[in-house]
Amino acid sequence: QEAHAAEMERTFIAIKPDGVQRGLISEILSRFERKGFKLVAIKIVVPSKDFAGRHYHDLKERPFFSGLCDFLSSGPVVAMVWEGEGVIRYGRKLIGATDPQKSVPGTIRGDLAVLVGRNIIHGSDGPETAKDEIKLWFKQEELVKYTSNEKWIYS
Ligand code: RTP
């Protein structure tokens, strides 16, 4: 049994309503996929405002909280779980800084977004939030175990 088969790191990634409406689903999927990360769960949903509030509970005290929850629940969101070594940190690198004006070219937000309120994608910011967010958005049985090309990605 290979070492990587045991407990591979996972992160929660969501394409927000602006990313979906702008037709960026395949563009975003392909960046994670080509890197070598593995998609283990995916669905498209319109979250309720209450659900959006649970997702963003850390930001409850921020002035933009209500508007942010309105926005996340304003249309379809593509919710995903990606797996791979270092996927939480590196996923954030692929995404870029929260403010697209500060995201460097080559990142998803740097290449594809302009404003912080329309930054098209979310990614968990650490192991604890990754665990919580995966649990909030997915049932255990929606996470799929399968073998893909990992022997060409991991040594
Ligand atoms: P995310 O959770 O969506 O990946 O974003 P993040 O960690 O990079 O940023 P965070 O500080 O957790 O903020 C979450 C989302 O809130 C919106 N936001 N708006 N109007 C504002 O000043 C403001 N600041 C943050 C952004 O959509 C951000 O992604």
Side-chain angles (χ1 to χ4, degrees), residues 16 55-56 59 62 64 68 92 95-98 109 116-119 121-125:
K16 299 179 187 179
H55 171 77
Y56 279 127
L59 303 171
R62 308 295 284 275
F64 56 81
L68 179 61
R92 300 272 295 181
I95 290 170
T98 305
R109 287 169 176 160
V116 69
R118 296 289 184 271
N119 63 5
I121 183 166
H122 163 83
S124 305
D125 63 9

Side-chain angles (χ1 to χ4, degrees), residues 34-93:
R34 286 181 300 167
K35 168 69 179 169
F37 294 138
K38 180 168 155 184
L39 184 63
V40 297
I42 183 165
K43 61 183 169 188
I44 184 161
V45 287
V46 181
S48 65
K49 186 172 180 183
D50 177 75
F51 188 91
R54 272 185 275 154
H55 171 77
Y56 279 127
H57 68 273
D58 280 356
L59 303 171
K60 245 193 327 256
E61 310 303 328
R62 308 295 284 275
F64 56 81
F65 177 72
S66 178
L68 179 61
C69 295
D70 279 332
F71 180 63
L72 194 72
S73 57
S74 69
V77 169
V78 174
M80 299 173 275
V81 179
W82 286 88
E83 192 175 272
E85 209 160 300
V87 70
I88 301 172
R89 268 180 87 92
Y90 208 90
R92 300 272 295 181
K93 268 195 195 177

